[in-house]
Amino acid sequence: MTDVLFRFDVDAAPKTVLEAVKTSEGVKGFWTSRADVPAEVGGTLKLEFAIAPLPFDLRLEQSDERTVVWRTETFPPHWVGTTVRWDVEPRDAGSTVSFRHAGFSDDEEAGRVAYTWGQIMARLKEYAESGKPDPVFA
């Protein structure tokens, strides 16, 4: 199995970063403007993209004051069974984000996904620091 990893600092409080990755308003601010994020663990995150034929469905497995974990359920096929994990730690005047998209069956697919995740991470940082929405997929 292959994982995609990122670790970066954000000049925003951990709570601000976590709100961005675990609320509909937050996800719409940096990832895609079409998102429905569940409030409860066990609920399904629905992400829609103009370039994708079906919504991405991810089940919320963990959501607390430090970590958010989603497991891909139905689409896209190469994501099914993978997990997306965000760990947010406090640091001096902000946060450190550790991101892992784990469980790809091959390196080639993980490599394709890594490029897009890099763009998404940059937008997450910008959104958490500025509060101005600018999703990668509008």
Side-chain angles (χ1 to χ4, degrees):
M1 294 291 177
T2 302
D3 299 350
V4 174
L5 307 168
F6 289 93
R7 185 172 175 87
F8 57 98
D9 293 333
V10 177
D11 292 329
K15 181 178 180 178
T16 300
V17 177
L18 285 165
E19 288 298 310
V21 300
K22 68 182 188 179
T23 67
S24 292
E25 179 182 344
V27 170
K28 290 175 182 179
F30 74 95
W31 192 353
T32 179
S33 58
R34 298 186 298 189
D36 183 19
V37 181
E40 303 291 325
V41 170
T44 300
L45 166 69
K46 298 253 186 212
L47 302 172
E48 293 184 27
F49 305 93
I51 60 172
L54 298 170
F56 286 36
D57 293 338
L58 298 96
R59 184 171 35 90
L60 183 60
E61 292 196 330
Q62 181 179 348
S63 180
D64 57 40
E65 67 282 345
R66 180 184 237 174
T67 302
V68 174
V69 179
W70 302 321
R71 178 174 298 281
T72 306
E73 295 188 317
T74 60
F75 187 83
H78 56 278
W79 280 34
V80 173
T82 64
T83 58
V84 176
R85 181 183 182 106
W86 316 77
D87 290 299
V88 182
E89 303 278 339
R91 69 164 180 80
D92 300 331
S95 307
T96 298
V97 176
S98 297
F99 170 87
R100 178 182 298 263
H101 190 166
F104 287 99
S105 61
D106 65 57
D107 292 343
E108 185 175 331
E109 188 55 46
R112 280 191 214 117
V113 171
Y115 176 78
T116 304
W117 275 125
Q119 294 175 42
I120 294 167
M121 294 305 115
R123 296 285 177 93
L124 169 59
K125 178 178 171 57
E126 291 170 15
Y127 176 65
E129 291 177 349
S130 72
K132 295 177 185 170
D134 186 21
V136 173
F137 301 98

